[in-house]
Structures are given as C-alpha cells and as structure tokens.
Amino acid sequence: FAIPEAGDVKWTFTDIAGRTLKTWTQHYEVGSHEIRMEKAQFNTSGIIYYRLDYHGYSAVKKMILME
C-alpha cells in the first residue's frame, strides 16, 4: 500500500461472520509499504477481510488463508 503523507494507519482483520480477529495501528512514513502476516496470527482459515483506515480514507479487501 502507499500513502501520500506520514500518518497512522489502522488495520482491522475480520472473518466472514464479521468477528474481529486482529487490529493494530502503526505510524508509517510517506511512500510505499508492505506488510506480511503469518497464518498463525489468525488461528483460522478461509476468507479474511482486512480494512485500512488512514486520514478519513478506508479500503476493505479480502484474502484467503489456506491450510
């Protein structure tokens, strides 16, 4: 993901039923960034939705965790 100016980014990960699996907020500098997640951090498999919130902007995407 890329952000146009430094700021806090909030991440929220939920399962298909809407249960929150993990959240955190981290400060990022301007530019492109990459995050890596391990399956063990979620203790589930299947479709996971992740939401990025930054300065009033939010985006929701999905990923598939496979065993």
Side-chain angles (χ1 to χ4, degrees), residues 3-4 12 15-16 20 25 27 29 31-35 37 39-40 42 44 47 49-50 53 55-56 62 65-66:
I3 55 175
T12 305
D15 65 13
I16 198 159
T20 300
T25 302
H27 184 83
E29 296 300 323
S32 296
H33 305 277
E34 182 177 297
I35 63 168
M37 305 298 296
K39 183 184 177 308
F42 296 104
T44 190
I47 297 174
Y49 292 95
Y50 59 98
D53 291 297
H55 288 285
K62 70 179 174 181
L65 293 177
M66 299 174 68

Side-chain angles (χ1 to χ4, degrees), residues 1-63:
F1 68 98
I3 55 175
E5 59 185 61
D8 290 337
V9 175
K10 179 181 179 186
W11 295 94
T12 305
F13 294 82
T14 58
D15 65 13
I16 198 159
R19 292 182 294 254
T20 300
L21 302 173
K22 183 175 184 71
T23 62
W24 86 87
T25 302
Q26 184 171 341
H27 184 83
Y28 292 94
E29 296 300 323
V30 64
S32 296
H33 305 277
E34 182 177 297
I35 63 168
R36 293 182 184 257
M37 305 298 296
E38 298 289 332
K39 183 184 177 308
Q41 293 176 290
F42 296 104
N43 196 27
T44 190
S45 61
I47 297 174
I48 303 292
Y49 292 95
Y50 59 98
R51 177 181 172 139
L52 175 151
D53 291 297
Y54 165 79
H55 288 285
Y57 168 83
S58 61
V60 178
K61 304 286 184 178
K62 70 179 174 181
M63 64 179 165

